Amino acid sequence: MFKVPDNQVAGHQARDGKLGPLIDDSGRFYKPLQSDERGSNEVAFYTAFSSDARIPDHIRRFFPVFYGTQPLKASDGSGLHPHLILQDLTSNRLNPSLIDIKIGSRTWYPEASEDYIKKCLKKDGESTSVALGFRISGLQVYESKESGFWKPDKEQVKKFSAEDVRLVLRKFVSSNSIRDSDSDPNCSFASTVYGGSAGILAQLLELKAWFEDQTIFHFNSCSVFFMYEEESVLKGGSSGAQVKLIDFAHVVEGKGVIDHNFLGGLCSLIKFISEMLTDLDESTTEACLLDSEENHICSDN
């Protein structure tokens, strides 16, 4: 009944006798609770969020559906273990391209232990979190039936520089060979996936508008999760581009204060994607003008 998810790109994985999430065929995702306060914190967040009348419906769609908790046989063989039961975000998708982006220039919260804060400070400083306000935690990009997915390993992702992040966000929406380091990403799906009224940028801007006002929660160490389906685009259909928020073990009460850490990182990510779309528009316009000039010269001759 339960199996290891194929589409997990970050976090602990239920492989090689380790504790990790499981899925079933009914579209549910079973996330083992962490044994310290992080596990109870995440349950408390989902419980509070699910029943809070202050959360608008158009914002709720950015969060996985919460079905409660349940003790299940742990993937590491340690016996029964409490699990969160959540919506499996990729259950209805065929070969999805996915990217997990941890938001915020700091991933620790003031109430955390000194050791935990030190650990987070080291991770944040060694990644792009401090410099950019976000970092990539993991990704997979579908290339073709023959090539499968491009899925950099955890150690490679940890070393991403700011320029690597910019490049990966372009590769995420490109149709040419991602593995070829000499090939410049063609960004052929950018306008469909990132742009448009239902694209990723529009969804991020919708989230931004809420974070500019909401003071209910502070979303420490949470991620935005992008997904789309290249095969659908190639067949002339919708990309199915979607943004979700995930990982809430470190959420704390907002106490009437705007979550500037998350909002700042979100704005930085929006800026990256907006600039990419603008650059592509300018390149397309320039190419069209050059073509027009060349055709005019040819017609004169």
Side-chain angles (χ1 to χ4, degrees), residues 118-140:
K118 283 181 180 177
K119 182 181 173 183
C120 289
L121 283 170
K122 186 173 186 295
K123 275 187 179 179
D124 296 345
E126 290 175 350
S127 70
T128 61
S129 290
V130 173
L132 301 181
F134 66 90
R135 69 174 181 254
I136 294 174
S137 295
L139 73 151
Q140 67 178 34

Side-chain angles (χ1 to χ4, degrees), residues 9 136-141 149-157 160 168 178:
V9 296
I136 294 174
S137 295
L139 73 151
Q140 67 178 34
V141 183
F149 290 96
W150 175 60
K151 195 170 185 176
D153 63 43
K154 188 180 291 186
E155 289 306 308
Q156 186 180 350
V157 172
F160 281 168
V168 166
I178 293 167

Side-chain angles (χ1 to χ4, degrees), residues 30-148:
Y30 300 84
K31 180 179 180 180
L33 291 184
Q34 296 178 80
S35 56
D36 53 21
E37 73 277 359
R38 289 174 291 179
S40 56
N41 282 352
E42 191 154 25
V43 174
F45 166 76
Y46 272 112
T47 304
F49 183 86
S50 299
S51 59
D52 197 319
R54 294 171 293 177
I55 312 295
D57 287 342
H58 74 279
I59 293 300
R60 288 187 184 278
R61 71 185 178 92
F62 290 106
F63 292 77
V65 179
F66 172 57
Y67 299 105
T69 61
Q70 181 181 333
L72 294 175
K73 193 177 287 187
S75 60
D76 62 356
S78 61
L80 288 178
H81 188 94
H83 287 66
L84 279 169
I85 311 173
L86 304 169
Q87 171 191 10
D88 179 3
L89 298 177
T90 66
S91 63
N92 296 321
R93 292 179 176 268
L94 181 67
N95 300 322
S97 291
L98 313 167
I99 188 165
D100 180 314
I101 303 174
K102 194 171 290 292
I103 301 293
S105 58
R106 61 164 178 78
T107 55
W108 51 272
Y109 54 103
E111 296 85 355
S113 68
E114 188 176 335
D115 285 345
Y116 183 77
I117 291 174
K118 283 181 180 177
K119 182 181 173 183
C120 289
L121 283 170
K122 186 173 186 295
K123 275 187 179 179
D124 296 345
E126 290 175 350
S127 70
T128 61
S129 290
V130 173
L132 301 181
F134 66 90
R135 69 174 181 254
I136 294 174
S137 295
L139 73 151
Q140 67 178 34
V141 183
Y142 183 72
E143 290 192 296
S144 66
K145 189 175 181 180
E146 295 72 31
S147 304

